[in-house]
Amino acid sequence: MVDFLMKFNPITQAFIATLFTWGMTALGAALVFMTKTLNQRLLDSMLGFAGGVMIAASYWSLLAPAITMSEGNPIGNWFPAAFGFLLGGVFLWGIDKILPHLHPNSSIAGAEGYLPKRRKRSTLLVLAITLHNIPEGLAVGIAFGALANGGTEASLAGALTLALGIGIQNFPEGVAVSMPLRGEGMSRRKSFFYGQFSGMVEPIAAVIGAVAVSFIEPLLPYALSFAAGAMIFVVAEEVIPSSQEKGNKDLASMSLMFGFTLMMILDVAFG
């Protein structure tokens, strides 16, 4: 895979990598063709696992390289990482308050956002997962875009590992959209379509992130930490609460630990 991607520029590499992450979303959504419902404990464990992957990826693939790249910063090598991290969280918080969306385990009455909410449940669910896929796509794009500037910490193997981790955690996201819709009586085909559609934003976000950092090298540490902050906000605001609100707190928490451990191993071993 590494040899294959070496033939392309970083922007194209980012696009190809996020086609994989989108494909994993579609793979999860495709479970509707096999069953109408999914055991809640299994779904909650998958969401917890996804949260662990995202937390580990935020540090090893994004924050740690950002801190290393900031050596020599007049304020301190901590500043770009701290500033970008908080900015990423604030940005997602603002989008979360504006965009109408519905968390996977919530009723239609629990829709959030200030814009008009008179939308179908399917639309609100897709908007929620799409919102959360934006920072994931940006993270992959920024990691590949960093390669254009010769960043030693942003190796191709590390960028691929990040894409792999994001892809793994996208699987339960596809399930989290398609299964509730199928359970409410929507056809398998439509449930699958809505489930995979939420991942379509990742290649777009990846190209935007890769283009931005490819041409503006000083942005790299800020961009990496921005993506990390946005992902951590998603985990804290959506993934962990959704995995625990049905009472499976211990299972979801241990699944998060396993997800974190797996991503840490992948990133340290291959990044």
Side-chain angles (χ1 to χ4, degrees):
M1 186 63 179
V2 173
D3 292 336
F4 170 74
L5 287 177
M6 288 293 289
K7 302 175 183 178
F8 304 98
N9 62 50
I11 296 173
T12 305
Q13 292 171 349
F15 181 76
I16 294 173
T18 44
L19 287 180
F20 163 73
T21 63
W22 178 15
M24 290 297 290
T25 305
L27 187 62
L31 287 183
V32 294
F33 293 111
M34 303 176 188
T35 180
K36 187 174 182 178
T37 60
L38 191 68
N39 182 276
Q40 188 65 47
R41 285 174 58 83
L42 177 58
L43 179 58
D44 289 344
S45 67
M46 292 170 69
L47 286 172
F49 182 87
V53 169
M54 293 176 72
I55 293 173
S58 295
Y59 176 72
W60 271 279
S61 296
L62 300 170
L63 281 176
I67 294 171
T68 301
M69 291 175 185
S70 302
E71 292 290 345
N73 185 284
I75 300 179
N77 61 345
W78 54 268
F79 178 76
F83 181 82
F85 182 82
L86 292 175
L87 185 63
V90 170
F91 176 77
L92 256 291
W93 173 79
I95 296 295
D96 193 70
K97 292 299 181 184
I98 296 173
L99 186 71
H101 62 283
L102 182 67
H103 296 171
N105 287 329
S106 301
S107 65
I108 194 68
E112 298 180 0
Y114 289 135
L115 296 180
K117 300 176 185 176
R118 292 183 179 180
R119 301 171 186 265
K120 295 181 179 179
R121 175 180 173 84
S122 58
T123 303
L124 293 173
L125 275 172
V126 172
L127 284 173
I129 302 300
T130 300
L131 166 65
H132 297 160
N133 280 343
I134 292 174
E136 296 166 10
L138 281 174
V140 175
I142 290 167
F144 278 97
L147 299 173
N149 294 304
T152 57
E153 295 296 324
S155 66
L156 179 56
L160 280 172
T161 300
L162 176 61
L164 176 61
I166 296 298
I168 290 171
Q169 67 88 36
N170 273 2
F171 183 86
E173 287 187 352
V175 176
V177 175
S178 62
M179 283 299 178
L181 297 180
R182 177 59 182 155
E184 292 175 2
M186 184 175 288
S187 70
R188 286 186 172 91
R189 186 172 298 179
K190 284 187 176 181
S191 298
F192 168 74
F193 173 79
Y194 283 120
Q196 65 81 33
F197 184 83
S198 62
M200 193 179 296
V201 71
E202 290 195 2
I204 300 171
V207 170
I208 293 173
V211 169
V213 300
S214 293
F215 296 103
I216 312 176
E217 184 175 359
L219 280 181
L220 265 177
Y222 294 94
L224 288 167
S225 52
F226 177 92
M231 291 219 301
I232 291 298
F233 179 86
V234 168
V235 174
E237 195 271 343
E238 163 62 18
V239 178
I240 292 178
S242 293
S243 70
Q244 298 188 356
E245 63 185 11
K246 295 296 184 179
N248 297 314
K249 294 184 178 181
D250 290 342
L251 176 63
S253 296
M254 289 308 301
S255 298
L256 185 146
M257 297 289 289
F258 283 121
F260 184 97
T261 302
L262 175 63
M263 187 60 197
M264 177 180 65
I265 292 171
L266 289 174
D267 210 291
V268 173
F270 302 109

